[in-house]
């Protein structure tokens, strides 16, 4: 029996010690939250060794509660993070996402925004396959934290991942907004080398939305960006949009067959392969899709 495991017995004894620390008496007016949290944390370790994961998660949560009551916010956040990992091991991704978010909130409250963003990053990676919407929210929070702390590179990395998930979910309007924000941050940081790729991404998404006018407008604005008109991305998009404007399917397919597009990040390469040419035929070899964008 799991409850007869020596480490479970030891863990239960530590829980009892922690509970005693929380009791008050005539001579002890205030609970000893710090000692209680320490006992609960040690109990969680015992339960983990015994693979009694529900007990382990509960012990971490009790430790977090005791630390919060003792105003030890950073230590509480660490306990919530540990509880989230245990929930993941229990395959309870619903609880895991909530606990990662709670841990990040308290890390941010403690003034450690970098740690908060990393926790949200970890959580998003864990839950994105089952709960992509929650992963998007977590990554957006991480991006906002990095932007607030003047770390544009990290912020744009998170935005890039958000766009991938939005495209997977076929939320193309939202993807355009996300990629545009990513591009603006690069422009503000004068990282012009990253901009052409993002222009291509926005144009591809607009074309998938059958909005050739917006695609052309994005391209026309990009011609004013440093180095864009001479870039491979600029030349490829020029040919691609000319093909759409002239209803020239051969020109479109030549542009979509460029080495640059074939070697883009996977989600955008798929967008390129599944675009419809002016004649109504898909540009890729695997064209018979139902409108969904499987970018896994």
């Amino acid at each position: 029996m799991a409850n007869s495991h020596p480490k479970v017995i030891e863990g239960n004894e530590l829980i009892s010690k922690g509970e005693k620390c929380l009791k008050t008496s005539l001579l002890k007016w205030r609970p000893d939250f710090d000692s209680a949290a320490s006992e609960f944390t040690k109990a969680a370790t015992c339960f983990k060794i015994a693979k009694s994961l529900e007990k382990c998660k509960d012990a971490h949560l009790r430790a977090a509660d005791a630390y919060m009551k003792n105003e030890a916010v950073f230590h509480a956040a660490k306990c919530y993070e540990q509880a989230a990992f245990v929930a993941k091991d229990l395959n309870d991704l619903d609880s895991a996402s909530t606990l990662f978010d709670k841990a990040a909130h308290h890390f941010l409250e403690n003034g450690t925004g970098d740690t908060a963003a990393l926790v949200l990053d970890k959580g998003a990676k864990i839950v994105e396959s089952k709960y992509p919407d929650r992963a998007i929210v977590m990554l957006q929070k991480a991006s906002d934290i990095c932007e607030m702390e003047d770390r544009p590179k990290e912020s744009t990395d998170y935005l890039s991942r958000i766009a991938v998930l939005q495209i997977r979910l076929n939320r193309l309007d939202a993807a355009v907004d996300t990629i545009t924000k990513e591009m603006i941050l690069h422009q503000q940081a004068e990282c012009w080398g990253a901009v052409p790729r993002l222009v291509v991404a926005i144009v591809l998404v607009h074309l998938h939305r059958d909005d050739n006018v917006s695609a052309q407008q994005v391209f026309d604005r990009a011609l004013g960006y440093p180095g864009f008109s001479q870039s491979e991305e600029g030349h490829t998009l020029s040919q691609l949009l000319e093909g759409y404007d002239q209803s020239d399917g051969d020109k479109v397919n030549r542009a979509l067959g460029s080495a640059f597009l074939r070697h883009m990040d996977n989600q955008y390469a798929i967008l390129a392969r599944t675009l419809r040419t002016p004649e109504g035929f898909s540009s890729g070899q695997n064209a018979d899709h139902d409108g969904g964008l499987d970018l896994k």
Side-chain angles (χ1 to χ4, degrees):
M1 296 288 292
N3 286 338
S4 64
H5 192 288
K7 283 296 181 182
V8 170
I9 295 171
E10 182 182 349
N12 287 334
E13 290 173 352
L14 291 165
I15 291 291
S16 296
K17 287 182 181 179
E19 290 171 343
K20 287 179 182 178
C21 293
L22 296 176
K23 292 180 179 178
T24 57
S25 65
L26 287 174
L27 300 177
K28 182 188 173 189
W29 293 358
R30 187 178 185 277
D32 185 353
F33 293 116
D34 189 61
S35 295
S38 177
E39 298 297 341
F40 293 147
T41 300
K42 288 187 284 187
T45 300
C46 290
F47 293 138
K48 182 177 181 180
I49 293 171
K51 301 190 186 315
S52 184
L53 298 183
E54 286 288 358
K55 284 180 171 287
C56 178
K57 185 180 79 168
D58 182 65
H60 280 306
L61 292 176
R62 295 187 73 171
D65 182 64
Y67 278 129
M68 285 301 299
K69 289 176 178 175
N70 202 39
E71 299 183 358
V73 178
F74 180 85
H75 293 296
K78 290 295 294 181
C79 290
Y80 283 124
E81 182 184 7
Q82 290 304 309
F85 281 119
V86 178
K88 172 243 182 186
D89 291 338
L90 286 164
N91 203 30
D92 183 2
L93 298 186
D94 184 16
S95 293
S97 65
T98 300
L99 290 168
F100 276 121
D101 191 68
K102 197 166 189 176
H105 171 79
H106 290 305
F107 278 126
L108 190 60
E109 181 185 2
N110 184 67
T112 49
D114 54 342
T115 306
L118 287 173
V119 168
L120 290 165
D121 179 18
K122 294 174 189 175
K125 287 176 180 175
I126 287 171
V127 306
E128 68 177 31
S129 60
K130 187 172 183 180
Y131 298 114
D133 283 316
R134 296 189 190 187
I136 287 171
V137 172
M138 295 168 86
L139 290 170
Q140 186 60 65
K141 288 180 180 179
S143 177
D144 290 344
I145 290 169
C146 292
E147 185 178 0
M148 181 176 59
E149 296 190 342
D150 196 25
R151 291 187 285 138
K153 173 63 171 66
E154 290 90 339
S155 182
T156 56
D157 287 345
Y158 293 129
L159 289 172
S160 180
R161 288 170 55 196
I162 291 170
V164 171
L165 291 172
Q166 289 169 331
I167 293 171
R168 257 184 216 167
L169 296 171
N170 213 19
R171 295 176 186 167
L172 301 185
D173 290 354
V176 167
D177 292 340
T178 300
I179 302 165
T180 300
K181 182 174 181 180
E182 182 185 355
M183 184 169 66
I184 290 170
L185 287 177
H186 279 299
Q187 290 171 327
Q188 289 174 346
E190 297 187 354
C191 295
W192 293 102
V195 170
R197 173 184 61 86
L198 298 173
V199 174
V200 172
I202 297 173
V203 167
L204 289 175
V205 175
H206 276 313
L207 292 176
H208 253 281
R209 295 170 64 245
D210 295 322
D211 189 351
N212 296 11
V213 172
S214 292
Q216 185 67 53
Q217 289 173 343
V218 169
F219 174 74
D220 290 343
R221 284 195 300 271
L223 291 174
Y225 301 156
F228 179 80
S229 60
Q230 294 82 33
S231 67
E232 183 179 1
E233 293 92 336
H235 292 309
T236 299
L237 286 186
S238 178
Q239 183 181 34
L240 177 64
L241 293 171
E242 280 180 11
Y244 273 95
D245 184 58
Q246 299 166 5
S247 297
D248 186 340
D250 289 337
K251 183 175 285 189
V252 168
N253 281 323
R254 282 197 301 274
L256 292 173
S258 69
F260 162 70
L261 283 177
R262 289 200 309 271
H263 293 95
M264 279 187 75
D265 291 343
N266 187 50
Q267 68 276 12
Y268 299 112
I270 293 174
L271 283 180
R273 290 202 305 271
T274 55
L275 274 178
R276 295 186 180 277
T277 67
E279 286 81 4
F281 298 103
S282 174
S283 60
Q285 295 179 347
N286 302 314
D288 50 339
H289 62 94
D290 60 5
L293 297 172
D294 185 5
L295 302 178
K296 296 178 182 177

